[in-house]
Amino acid sequence: MRAEETGGGARKPDAAVVRDALGVGVAVGLSGFAFGVTSAGSGLTVLQTCALSLLVFTGASQFALVGALAGGGNPFTAAAGAFFLGVRNAFYGLRLSQLLALPRAVRPFAAHWVIDETAAVSLAQPTRRSARIGFTVTGLTLYVLWNLTTLLGALGAEALGDTDAWGIDAAGPAVFLALLAPMLKSTTERAVAGIAVVLGLGLLPVLPAGVPVLVAALAAPAVLWAEGHKRGDRRASRRASQGGEHR
Amino acid sequence: MNFWMAIGVTAVGCYAVKLIGLLVPAGALERPVVQRLSALLPVALLAALTAQQTFADGRVLVLDAKAAGVAAAAVALVLRAPFLVVVGAAVVVTAGVRALAG
């Protein structure tokens, strides 16, 4: 172990990759319990709750769908919000497909495991071999544990009685916050988040359930557009003032 | 039946975007605007959802124990706590505040 560590960063022992992957897989996998309880507490059956974890398998989308349905949202508006949250997985897949170089026949199966956590672990690896190990171990642990704990949570929801008394309703927003925090890198991201919060809360009392979130999503293209506009202005003024500051 | 429809649409949609990422040739989704938007869209959605689930009860805005729980989660995040601890902090603090408030 120590010998390999001093061997430089180019290679990473398989055991270390497995350990990293297990750490992420177990920690996040166990929070399926919170999802199970939340979902069952929102009025979904045990079967519906488990179907979500088995078939959707992307936590934020699941929490969003369940939250929107519990809030009395139209099923399609609810699904649209969950779907938009899942769109980011396409971009993980894009980067992973080059990194993992999976055989075409394997891709439809591997696709189901393309989520925040598997992408994060795989993209952090130095070699293709360790990326593949990281992806497989994270995906497998997370999938098995997430589904197992979802079932336990859904079954346990009834035993817990008033799930609000246990504070389980805070798990959803905490999960969102944990996913959001590392994304708030620059002013652009913070501006998008700030506007989205204002729209999401401000429109909540006046628009049908589920719709405010979709409107809040417009904060992204709006800020992007404003940013491009500002950059365009700056370029124009630089051109106008000839020989101003150099880039 | 309505819930099943929502589950079906979500499952198919979410699987489709995952598969598209793995199958589509690299160039197609690599336009800078598309990449930027895909990075910012989750930020907007997660921020709106976090705020709503923290401060909303149905369509009414409320300030209750959940806000304290989510604040605890935020503190845990600043302290770089692991994922499970962040979620656990939110749950425990919310339950604690409710228990104290009776």
Side-chain angles (χ1 to χ4, degrees):
Chain A
M1 179 62 218
R2 196 162 301 148
E4 277 142 338
E5 268 175 4
T6 52
R11 287 199 49 203
K12 190 171 171 182
D14 293 351
V17 182
V18 171
R19 203 168 45 232
D20 288 357
L22 281 177
V24 173
V26 170
V28 182
L30 289 180
S31 47
F33 185 79
F35 173 72
V37 174
T38 305
S39 177
S42 304
L44 278 79
T45 64
V46 173
L47 193 61
Q48 288 171 330
T49 301
C50 288
L52 276 173
S53 279
L54 285 166
L55 303 176
V56 176
F57 189 55
T58 169
S61 295
Q62 294 179 224
F63 269 109
L65 183 74
V66 165
L69 290 177
N74 168 296
F76 290 105
T77 327
F83 170 78
F84 283 134
L85 267 179
V87 168
R88 72 190 185 289
N89 291 331
F91 292 85
Y92 295 146
L94 198 66
R95 297 176 65 188
L96 287 178
S97 85
Q98 292 157 319
L99 185 67
L100 302 175
L102 296 169
R104 279 198 104 70
V106 177
R107 291 183 188 196
F109 302 99
H112 200 42
W113 287 357
V114 174
I115 52 171
D116 296 297
E117 292 81 11
T118 51
V121 171
S122 309
L123 293 170
Q125 303 305 325
T127 62
R128 172 161 299 158
R129 179 186 164 77
S130 45
R132 281 180 168 177
I133 296 174
F135 179 81
T136 312
V137 174
T138 312
L140 185 66
T141 348
L142 232 168
Y143 193 70
V144 170
L145 277 180
W146 179 258
N147 280 291
L148 214 64
T149 51
T150 295
L151 175 65
L152 289 177
L155 292 175
E158 219 167 306
L160 285 176
D162 179 14
T163 54
D164 281 5
W166 296 89
I168 305 283
D169 53 333
V175 168
F176 290 140
L177 195 63
L179 291 171
L180 173 66
M183 295 180 185
L184 299 177
K185 279 172 292 206
S186 73
T187 347
T188 312
E189 279 86 7
R190 289 185 202 128
V192 169
I195 297 171
V197 166
V198 171
L199 288 173
L201 291 182
L203 298 174
L204 192 77
V206 292
L207 288 179
V211 179
V213 173
L214 300 184
V215 178
L218 294 176
V223 168
L224 208 57
W225 179 83
E227 217 183 33
H229 210 68
K230 215 176 357 167
R231 211 175 303 133
D233 280 357
R234 226 179 296 142
R235 213 173 299 137
S237 66
R238 204 178 299 135
R239 224 176 291 129
S241 65
Q242 286 279 327
E245 51 193 294
H246 296 274
R247 295 195 67 208
Chain B
M1 202 57 228
N2 269 350
F3 280 14
W4 277 116
M5 257 155 50
I7 292 168
V9 173
T10 306
V12 171
C14 285
Y15 178 73
V17 287
K18 290 175 183 174
L19 189 61
I20 284 169
L22 282 185
L23 292 185
V24 146
L29 295 174
E30 296 236 309
R31 286 183 55 204
V33 185
V34 179
Q35 291 245 329
R36 282 299 280 153
L37 199 59
S38 83
L40 288 178
L41 214 50
V43 172
L45 286 164
L46 289 171
L49 285 165
T50 309
Q52 284 192 355
Q53 298 203 354
T54 306
F55 299 110
D57 184 9
R59 291 177 60 189
V60 186
L61 298 183
V62 291
L63 188 66
D64 65 1
K66 238 187 309 178
V70 175
V75 172
L77 278 168
V78 171
L79 297 175
R80 302 188 173 279
F83 188 84
L84 209 54
V85 175
V86 173
V87 179
V91 170
V92 169
V93 169
T94 305
V97 171
R98 285 205 182 115
L100 288 176

